[in-house]
Structures are given as structure tokens and as C-alpha cells.
């Protein structure tokens, strides 16, 4: 397994027909893909759900932080090589 230490990678996502980008480390991109597959939804759909949850929080974090926290809280394993 390659070292998990890698700078964030920026990728585009679409939330309710609005394009935005998120910078996540490759480990988190792998975990997000695995989580979306496990739930039978597209990555965009899962990110949209996480975004809706974060907006409802008392002190909303940035989207990338919300994705990382959601992944850790849900303990999704990554599908790395």
C-alpha cells in the first residue's frame, strides 16, 4: 500500500446542478468512492447529502472538512490499491 501522505487533490462535484470543487487527500477520495458504492449512489449524490447535513449544523464547517468528518464518523474503509 502506498503511503497515505499525499497533498489534497481537487476534483469537481455537482450539488443540485451547482458545480463546485473539493480538495481531499487521495485516501479520502477512495473512502468517498467506497461509501457511495456501498450506499448505491453516485459520489455527487453522497456529497450533496453530506452538504445538506453540514448546512443544518450549528457551526457548519467547510465542505471538504464535512466530507472528512462524515467519512471518519461512518468508518467507511477505503478501496486503495
Amino acid at each position: 500500500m502506498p503511503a497515505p501522505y499525499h497533498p489534497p487533490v481537487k476534483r469537481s462535484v455537482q450539488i443540485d446542478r451547482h458545480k463546485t470543487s473539493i480538495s481531499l487527500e487521495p485516501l479520502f477520495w477512495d473512502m468517498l468512492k467506497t461509501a457511495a458504492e456501498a450506499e448505491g449512489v453516485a459520489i455527487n449524490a453522497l456529497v450533496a447529502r453530506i452538504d445538506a447535513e453540514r448546512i443544518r449544523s450549528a457551526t457548519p464547517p467547510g465542505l471538504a472538512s464535512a466530507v472528512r468528518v462524515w467519512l471518519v464518523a461512518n468508518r467507511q474503509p477505503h478501496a486503495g490499491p
Side-chain angles (χ1 to χ4, degrees):
M1 177 177 167
Y5 307 107
H6 190 283
V9 174
K10 185 179 278 191
R11 293 191 185 161
S12 295
V13 294
Q14 189 168 335
I15 301 171
D16 295 327
R17 292 174 284 182
H18 172 74
K19 287 189 177 183
T20 190
S21 61
I22 305 173
S23 293
L24 295 171
E25 295 75 6
L27 175 70
F28 287 107
W29 282 117
D30 291 344
M31 292 173 69
L32 186 61
K33 180 182 177 201
T34 299
E37 289 172 352
E39 296 200 14
V41 298
I43 289 174
N44 286 345
L46 182 54
V47 170
R49 192 172 80 212
I50 295 168
D51 185 48
E53 291 175 12
R54 97 178 160 94
I55 290 170
R56 288 191 305 266
S57 72
T59 54
L63 182 55
S65 294
V67 169
R68 288 183 191 98
V69 168
W70 187 93
L71 289 167
V72 171
N74 286 280
R75 304 233 181 242
Q76 298 294 333
H78 78 284

